[in-house]
Amino acid sequence: MLREIYPAKIELDVNGLPFAPEYDDRYFSRENGLAETRHVFLQGNQLPLAWQNQARFVIAETGFGTGLNFLATWQAWQTDPQHCKTLHYISIEKHPIPKQQLAELLAHWAELSEFSHELLAQYPPVLAGFHQLHFANQQVKLTLCFADALDALKDLVAKVDAWYLDGFTPAKNPDLWSPALFQALAEHSQEQATLATFTVAGQVRRDLQAAGFHCEKRTGFGQKREMLTAYFSQPAKKASEKPWFSLPQIHNSKQTATVIGAGIAGCQIAYALAARGWQVYLLERHSQLAQEASGNRAGVLSPKMTAEPDWGEHFYRQAFLYAVRQLRRLAKEDANHELAWFPCGALQLNHNKSETKRWLALKTRGLPSDFIQLIDAATASDLAGLPLAVGGSFFPEGGYLYPPSLCRKLTQHPLIQVQTQSEALHLAQTADQTWQVFNADKLIAESSVVVLANGKDVRQFTQSNFLPLLPVRGQTTQAEPSGYTQQLKITLGHEGYLTPAIQGQHIFGATFERGEASACLKTSDDALNYQQLQQYLPEFAAALTTVKSSHAAIRMTTPDRYPYVGPLPDPELFRQAYAGIQHGRKHQDWPSAPYQTGLFISAGYGSRGLTTSALCSELLAALIHGEPLPLERSLYYKLHPARFLLKKLQQNRD
């Protein structure tokens, strides 16, 4: 897991330009930072020529700083009629500049205002991790890696076409110019990948050459007499990955996919693939989208926080921020206001000793206020619009959503063909590795890729019945608002959750019944939901009228409560390939994971699919399409569908 970070400390010099006292260095040239960027990094990497007429081009940078290099590159891409179809820009920054300060600094570059405004609209809080932002109709993807450079490169899954080395000078920031870092660059380089930097320091040249780069001095910018360019002069190196979680082989020449299940998970992956130009057939056994676990009247978006940072919190907060960015983008495109997304803020109350203890621990961690605010009862009451007895953790970007409206919005893409009343019961693969989907004996879809996203029914296929999954029944309750309850302005979380009135109804609950496979509504569950609300918010509960059942469904969860996202292994071949693990063999030359070619899964989201499915679907689409991953390699491993097969082998050692 990446280590926590802290924001940049910046002062302005006499010319009003940013200076980093911690490194005793400036962010860009005093003469003209934008002209320097174009000369050193764009021209130094032969851009835009190098990306022209390419399907995909990947740029990676050490040192995001003010984002000037990214904005100049995006501008060059935008104005180039022959630009690559998709531009991936990956930038590593150990000390990000907070959004408000970044806005002040970028105001200096008027000609980039169109681009900087869009960057600032999506710019994430200063939180360690990978944050992927989408621009230009998702053709430009910026992955901000807020982390130490070596940590980020260790966790990065990408092959890079061009490198921008733009940290503070080697004498002031030697960690960013170390031999270990240059070796990491080599591991992530495509054959003939180019590189450019402002420095020609002898040790930098020697260490780059030792890592496999052929270096050449060129005319520098302004008062700098020389700069350095290079290209990777060795064959591309094999990624250092765990073989049992290896990346799937790419077989996407046809770019057709069948997605089984049109709930949130299925609609999200259909959308992510369609955005990449894939023809998607979305199969749903009901007459409409989002009829089962995704059919709730309202679901809350908020991250799951822990007292001490761990990989789970890391995943949830990145997924939450990604989901919010996606919803903002979709809402902006929603001319008919069909998307029922209410970004009112979400408050997790300190309703018991455990939550209060976590809240106190969170207060010591210095988390940014644009992500979380740890507030007292008085502030909580002001935000909520009615009196609360306790404070809690407030997420200003949180809110609530009508899930079916999101499903409808996601599937309004010309490359998504929705087939309702189409129940997939059987899968078969032809000799040319085409997948066929059958309803009884009738062929209902055919494609090069199949994604299983059908929730509680995912184990009905022989190809996926080895996956451990547990059904959890959940029921929500609804009630008409009164004059008092109508004042609620944000969502409230305790043991359950409560929303402001949506279409004349508050939604609250939900029950959590493990092992139950029946989704029939129960009046006893409504009583439990009301009793819970009464325990933690008694005045609110007493003021409600006409309490009745809202929605019940079966949610599927995994033994560790994290979803399955990725390629499906062949369980028998997997056990055979890694049988040596049972005997404690650690240094065997293990083969890559044996996958069922073209078969993937997105399932097991439990009660957090609204928060996590958008990022997970972007991850899955990147795996299928062969792109840089939008999150860390370590998180991909934690979500991998083979993780319990591996765990069982490890537990059965002699």
Side-chain angles (χ1 to χ4, degrees):
M1 190 187 74
L2 298 179
R3 292 170 283 185
E4 291 296 341
I5 56 171
Y6 59 88
K9 298 177 177 66
I10 294 179
E11 296 176 358
L12 298 182
D13 66 14
V14 293
N15 299 309
L17 299 177
F19 181 84
E22 186 174 358
Y23 294 95
D24 189 29
D25 202 358
R26 62 189 69 259
Y27 276 83
F28 42 75
S29 166
R30 282 176 291 189
E31 296 163 88
N32 188 323
L34 182 53
E36 179 186 38
T37 286
R38 289 168 176 155
H39 178 85
V40 174
F41 298 111
L42 287 163
Q43 293 177 29
N45 281 290
Q46 302 168 52
L47 297 172
L49 180 64
W51 68 38
Q52 288 181 346
N53 303 314
Q54 300 292 317
R56 177 188 311 136
F57 196 84
V58 180
I59 296 171
E61 168 184 58
T62 55
F64 185 72
T66 63
L68 188 59
N69 294 342
F70 167 68
L71 295 172
T73 303
W74 179 12
Q75 182 191 48
W77 179 91
Q78 190 85 16
T79 55
D80 178 13
Q82 295 177 280
H83 63 61
C84 54
K85 184 176 180 182
T86 306
L87 175 66
H88 288 267
Y89 193 106
I90 300 162
S91 189
I92 300 168
E93 179 56 66
K94 187 176 181 179
H95 301 303
I97 301 173
K99 180 177 179 178
Q100 184 174 349
Q101 191 172 25
L102 185 63
E104 295 169 1
L105 295 172
L106 289 178
H108 181 77
W109 308 105
E111 73 169 281
L112 297 175
S113 61
E114 171 192 350
F115 305 96
S116 59
H117 288 160
E118 290 196 48
L119 170 63
L120 291 164
Q122 294 193 48
Y123 192 74
V126 178
L127 285 167
F130 288 15
H131 307 276
Q132 190 175 90
L133 286 53
H134 294 186
F135 305 100
N137 196 28
Q138 302 187 62
Q139 289 181 279
V140 175
K141 299 185 180 185
L142 168 64
T143 304
L144 290 169
C145 307
F146 288 170
D148 174 82
L150 274 175
D151 288 345
L153 288 167
K154 180 181 178 182
D155 247 351
L156 178 67
V157 180
K159 283 295 185 182
V160 175
D161 297 295
W163 293 97
Y164 295 179
L165 301 194
D166 194 28
F168 296 120
T169 60
K172 308 286 181 65
N173 187 19
D175 288 349
L176 211 52
W177 306 88
S178 68
L181 186 133
F182 295 152
Q183 290 293 337
L185 300 188
E187 290 177 8
H188 289 292
S189 292
Q190 296 274 25
E191 290 189 32
Q192 299 296 303
T194 60
L195 178 151
T197 184
F198 58 85
T199 183
V200 291
Q203 193 61 52
V204 169
R205 293 201 317 274
R206 289 189 291 274
D207 290 341
L208 279 170
Q209 287 166 348
F213 290 90
H214 177 82
C215 299
E216 181 180 333
K217 292 181 182 180
R218 292 191 182 179
T219 304
F221 176 79
Q223 295 180 5
K224 291 183 179 178
R225 190 163 56 89
E226 295 176 314
M227 58 171 276
L228 197 67
T229 63
Y231 65 89
F232 190 57
S233 56
Q234 296 181 359
K237 297 186 177 182
K238 187 177 180 181
S240 54
E241 60 186 11
K242 294 182 179 178
W244 32 82
F245 297 149
S246 57
L247 299 178
Q249 293 294 312
I250 306 305
H251 299 283
N252 59 8
S253 56
K254 296 180 183 177
Q255 293 200 0
T256 56
T258 301
V259 177
I260 300 174
I264 287 291
C267 293
Q268 285 281 14
I269 184 57
Y271 173 79
L273 287 172
R276 289 162 168 81
W278 284 61
Q279 176 63 56
V280 182
Y281 307 102
L282 180 59
L283 308 184
E284 171 54 51
R285 67 189 183 97
H286 295 288
S287 59
Q288 298 180 58
L289 306 175
Q291 292 300 291
E292 298 199 17
S294 301
N296 203 358
R297 287 285 298 274
V300 172
L301 261 76
S302 67
K304 182 179 180 182
M305 303 297 289
T306 52
E308 297 296 327
D310 63 10
W311 79 265
E313 179 194 282
H314 192 81
F315 165 64
Y316 277 121
R317 70 192 194 189
Q318 285 182 205
F320 165 72
L321 292 170
Y322 185 91
V324 168
R325 289 193 295 272
Q326 184 197 64
L327 286 165
R328 280 202 208 114
R329 187 172 70 245
L330 292 172
K332 189 176 179 181
E333 300 167 0
D334 187 26
N336 297 323
H337 305 290
E338 296 171 336
L339 179 64
W341 157 236
F342 305 92
C344 57
L347 174 62
Q348 176 60 47
L349 294 166
N350 293 338
H351 64 284
N352 59 25
K353 290 182 179 179
S354 175
E355 195 62 46
T356 302
K357 183 179 179 181
R358 175 164 44 205
W359 180 82
L360 289 168
L362 289 170
K363 289 193 79 170
T364 68
R365 289 173 50 189
L367 295 165
S369 61
D370 51 348
F371 172 68
I372 185 172
Q373 297 166 20
L374 301 156
I375 57 178
D376 59 18
T379 306
S381 299
D382 289 342
L383 288 170
L386 42 76
L388 296 172
V390 294
S393 305
F394 179 64
F395 301 96
E397 299 286 354
Y400 64 104
L401 170 75
Y402 179 46
S405 75
L406 175 58
C407 287
R408 288 194 291 269
K409 182 63 182 172
L410 290 169
T411 54
Q412 289 173 358
H413 192 288
L415 290 176
I416 299 175
Q417 181 179 316
V418 179
Q419 298 174 212
T420 55
Q421 296 181 314
S422 296
E423 185 171 16
L425 297 175
H426 174 64
L427 301 176
Q429 196 172 30
T430 64
D432 67 351
Q433 296 189 324
T434 297
W435 281 99
Q436 296 181 323
V437 185
F438 295 88
N439 178 348
D441 294 325
K442 180 184 176 183
L443 179 66
I444 57 174
E446 199 169 35
S447 59
S448 59
V449 161
V450 166
V451 179
L452 306 182
N454 54 330
K456 68 181 179 62
D457 298 318
V458 78
R459 280 172 51 93
Q460 73 184 15
F461 303 109
T462 57
Q463 292 86 351
S464 55
N465 62 10
F466 66 92
L467 293 167
L469 283 163
L470 178 70
V472 178
R473 183 185 179 280
Q475 181 170 320
T476 54
T477 302
Q478 62 189 57
E480 293 182 11
S482 64
Y484 176 79
T485 70
Q486 190 77 50
Q487 298 175 80
L488 180 63
K489 297 186 292 187
I490 61 177
T491 71
L492 300 178
H494 40 81
E495 288 301 315
Y497 69 88
L498 167 68
T499 73
I502 175 173
Q503 296 179 338
Q505 298 288 327
H506 293 290
I507 309 297
F508 60 97
T511 58
F512 195 88
E513 193 175 355
R514 290 180 178 276
E516 175 59 55
S518 171
C520 296
L521 291 168
K522 300 179 184 177
T523 55
S524 58
D525 276 14
D526 293 322
L528 282 173
N529 284 334
Y530 184 77
Q531 181 183 0
Q532 188 180 75
L533 190 66
Q534 199 172 39
Q535 178 180 354
Y536 298 114
L537 296 163
E539 290 182 48
F540 193 97
L544 290 174
T545 60
T546 321
V547 177
K548 60 183 180 180
S549 299
S550 180
H551 180 76
I554 305 303
R555 302 166 299 201
M556 300 305 291
T557 189
T558 65
D560 59 9
R561 296 196 182 184
Y562 294 93
Y564 294 126
V565 184
L568 268 173
D570 181 305
E572 290 306 315
L573 293 179
F574 189 94
R575 294 184 190 104
Q576 292 172 25
Y578 307 122
I581 291 173
Q582 297 179 89
H583 308 295
R585 297 176 189 163
K586 295 181 180 179
H587 304 293
Q588 184 169 326
D589 186 17
W590 304 108
S592 295
Y595 294 121
Q596 300 179 69
T597 304
L599 186 60
F600 297 83
I601 188 167
S602 178
Y605 287 93
S607 59
R608 293 192 171 269
L610 278 181
T611 300
T612 59
S613 62
L615 179 57
C616 287
S617 296
E618 188 66 17
L619 164 64
L620 184 54
L623 288 165
I624 293 171
H625 199 57
E627 293 179 337
L629 299 191
L631 46 63
E632 297 86 331
R633 182 193 305 273
S634 55
L635 293 186
Y636 163 56
Y637 289 170
K638 293 289 189 181
L639 305 175
H640 199 285
R643 64 187 186 268
F644 292 111
L645 285 174
L646 178 67
K647 186 176 182 179
K648 193 167 184 180
L649 288 172
Q650 292 170 330
Q651 289 173 339
N652 290 340
R653 286 179 178 171
D654 293 344

